[in-house]
């Protein structure tokens, strides 16, 4: 039997988490992740936050954290679809890997999904967008604002943001690693930073 590729194994872990949402688009995103074609020839590009991200992943017993770590050599970290919307200091506090997207690497006309790491102690200020969004924390923790709901989120927690709900995250002392997905209207032009008194 062929061994599962690290991306296939990661896709299965992500789909299992999205399946817990009980939302049709979450299930369909899982189907696309686990059946989509992963292009050959993608290799990891050195990224500034890798050591901190590995340290954060190492604190977690979540199976998806192990799958993310195993897939690092072929994960396209640095593919942030909204990087053009950020200040340099914001772009420097997070690393994003897009796995499923209309532009690939796995092609989906309707959904986006991927990974995110945010550096310890940094604050990613209030923003919103048209897309419906779900995050699932797989390592570390964050003080998480989602509309009127603010609390510490840890590995195993799943957070849902309906379209246009303002959200912001202050990473804990190990930072956090999360998987994310977008559905509904997945345009990136509506991604907007909002007035935020907590912004550094
Ligand atoms: Fe978001």
């Amino acid at each position: 039997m062929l061994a599962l590729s690290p991306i296939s194994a990661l896709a299965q872990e992500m789909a299992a988490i999205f399946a817990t949402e009980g939302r049709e688009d979450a299930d369909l995103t899982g189907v696309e992740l686990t059946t989509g074609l992963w292009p050959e020839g993608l290799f990891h590009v050195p990224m500034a936050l890798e050591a901190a991200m590995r340290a954060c992943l190492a604190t977690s017993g979540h199976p998806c954290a192990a799958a993310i770590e195993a897939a690092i050599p072929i994960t396209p970290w640095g593919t942030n679809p909204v990087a053009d919307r950020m200040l340099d200091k914001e772009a420097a506090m997070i690393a994003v890997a897009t796995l499923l997207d209309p532009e690939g690497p796995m092609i989906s006309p309707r959904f986006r999904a991927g990974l995110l790491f945010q550096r310890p102690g940094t604050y990613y200020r209030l923003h919103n967008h048209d897309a419906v969004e779900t995050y699932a924390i797989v390592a570390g923790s964050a003080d998480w604002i989602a509309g009127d709901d603010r609390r510490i989120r840890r590995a195993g927690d799943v957070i849902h943001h309906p379209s246009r709900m303002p959200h912001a995250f202050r990473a804990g002392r190990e930072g956090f690693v999360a998987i994310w997905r977008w559905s509904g209207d997945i345009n990136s032009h509506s991604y907007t930073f909002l007035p935020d008194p907590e912004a550094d």
Side-chain angles (χ1 to χ4, degrees):
M1 198 172 94
L2 283 173
L4 208 55
S5 87
I7 290 290
S8 298
L10 172 57
Q12 290 191 1
E13 293 294 344
M14 293 171 72
I17 293 170
F18 294 145
T20 66
E21 285 187 61
R23 294 184 178 91
E24 185 179 14
D25 281 350
D27 292 343
L28 292 172
T29 301
V31 169
E32 292 200 9
L33 277 167
T34 51
T35 60
L37 287 177
W38 187 255
E40 290 194 23
L42 272 184
F43 296 100
H44 175 56
V45 176
M47 65 130 171
L49 302 183
E50 181 169 334
M53 181 179 74
R54 284 184 180 273
C56 182
L57 288 169
T59 66
S60 176
H62 198 294
C64 193
I68 290 171
E69 200 273 334
I72 286 174
I74 52 171
T75 301
W77 283 98
T79 53
N80 183 352
V82 294
D84 63 337
R85 224 55 47 80
M86 294 175 184
L87 302 174
D88 287 349
K89 70 170 188 175
E90 285 152 0
M93 73 173 69
I94 64 165
V96 177
T98 300
L99 304 183
L100 184 75
D101 184 274
E103 307 292 319
M106 246 185 239
I107 305 287
S108 170
R110 291 188 294 166
F111 304 126
R112 303 183 198 262
L115 316 173
L116 179 141
F117 170 67
Q118 186 174 321
R119 271 201 296 132
T122 57
Y123 182 64
Y124 192 84
R125 64 193 163 106
L126 211 56
H127 60 286
N128 69 1
H129 38 71
D130 289 341
V132 170
E133 180 176 67
T134 294
Y135 273 91
I137 312 289
V138 300
S141 65
D143 179 6
W144 201 279
I145 298 168
D148 296 330
D149 183 359
R150 179 174 189 167
R151 53 186 135 150
I152 304 297
R153 302 291 196 163
R154 297 184 174 82
D157 287 342
V158 177
I159 310 110
H160 185 68
H161 304 144
S163 175
R164 309 300 314 179
M165 174 182 274
H167 46 286
F169 338 119
R170 189 176 294 281
R173 63 191 171 96
E174 283 131 2
F176 71 90
V177 178
I179 68 167
W180 55 267
R181 70 168 189 88
W182 273 20
S183 60
D185 185 346
I186 63 167
N187 79 75
S188 58
H189 64 74
S190 65
Y191 194 104
T192 306
F193 286 101
L194 305 169
D196 186 345
E198 286 202 34
D200 299 326

